[in-house]
Amino acid sequence: MILAVDTSLGTAVAVVDPDGSSWSEAAAVDPLGHAEVIGDLLVQVLDDTDDAISLVVAGMGPGPFTGLRIGIATARAFALGRGIPVVPVPSHYAAALTAIESDGVDGPFAVVTDARRREVAITVFDGTDDDGIPKVVAETLLVPQAESDAHLGSIRRLDVASLSAVDLAKVGARAVAAGRELGDSEPLYLRQPDVRVPGVPKRVGS
């Protein structure tokens, strides 16, 4: 069974059967309270399934630095404690799969998520490939909100406020079955965190 964790927007976790059907899922839409809710959500979805988990899928963003790293750290810690692998999947793939398989979206479309600071993160997809994985036709970019429509032109825009951890798990499972890697171990922050290590103090002359 597969555990999926994503905190790129709100907080979403799910346990999915090997065939891709949902066993249990839980989510919170608050984009700021990841640390406060993720433990309780895990307890909800892992009831009676903890020992059966053999794979963890981690949503890698795009997303804000602080929130995104909470989900990734949780996924890695869970996997480390049980000696099972972590599969990194860019979070927009989950939104794209939902659009294609649940909402019937056809043709090119853009997944658009709030990146704060009056910016949005945009990834363009067009259907699924032979492995059932959404096809990326334009990699993720950070675009000013005011310029996003002009950037997309005639491409259909899907503004996404929450992600399905079930669909994240499905994408991860399909990638593993096909022997593919959709993302590396580095989160897709798109911008540097506000807090940085101080530089060397300036020397003051005597």
Side-chain angles (χ1 to χ4, degrees):
M1 300 184 77
I2 302 167
L3 170 67
V5 180
D6 187 275
T7 53
S8 62
L9 294 172
T11 304
V13 295
V15 173
V16 176
D17 285 333
D19 64 0
S21 58
S22 173
W23 178 273
S24 59
E25 59 182 310
V29 297
D30 184 356
L32 301 175
H34 310 289
E36 290 79 7
V37 302
I38 195 166
D40 290 339
L41 296 180
L42 282 173
V43 169
Q44 291 180 42
V45 301
L46 291 173
D47 186 30
D48 297 328
T49 62
D50 197 339
D51 294 336
I53 304 298
S54 60
L55 179 72
V56 180
V57 177
M60 305 302 286
F65 179 85
T66 302
L68 190 56
R69 66 177 181 170
I70 290 170
I72 295 170
T74 299
R76 289 174 176 172
F78 184 95
L80 180 63
R82 289 154 181 77
I84 58 178
V86 177
V87 175
V89 173
S91 303
H92 279 189
Y93 277 87
L97 191 67
T98 300
I100 295 166
E101 296 192 350
S102 297
D103 301 333
V105 175
D106 190 26
F109 65 93
V111 171
V112 181
T113 55
D114 183 12
R116 302 179 191 170
R117 300 185 191 173
R118 299 180 181 178
E119 293 179 310
V120 292
I122 297 175
T123 312
V124 181
F125 297 88
D126 187 357
T128 56
D129 58 27
D130 292 340
D131 298 319
I133 297 171
K135 291 187 295 186
V136 175
V137 295
E139 297 291 343
T140 307
L141 291 175
L142 198 62
V143 178
Q145 173 69 63
E147 301 175 12
S148 57
D149 286 338
H151 173 81
L152 290 172
S154 60
I155 297 174
R156 181 174 180 177
R157 171 180 181 147
L158 300 180
D159 287 276
V160 176
S162 61
L163 295 177
S164 166
V166 171
D167 284 338
L168 184 74
K170 289 179 181 178
V171 173
R174 293 174 187 181
V176 170
R180 293 169 55 183
E181 294 182 0
L182 302 180
D184 57 29
S185 60
E186 292 300 314
L188 194 56
Y189 292 130
L190 297 185
R191 72 164 72 92
Q192 294 299 312
D194 293 331
V195 178
R196 301 184 182 183
V197 177
V200 177
K202 293 182 180 180
R203 297 185 62 182
V204 179
S206 55

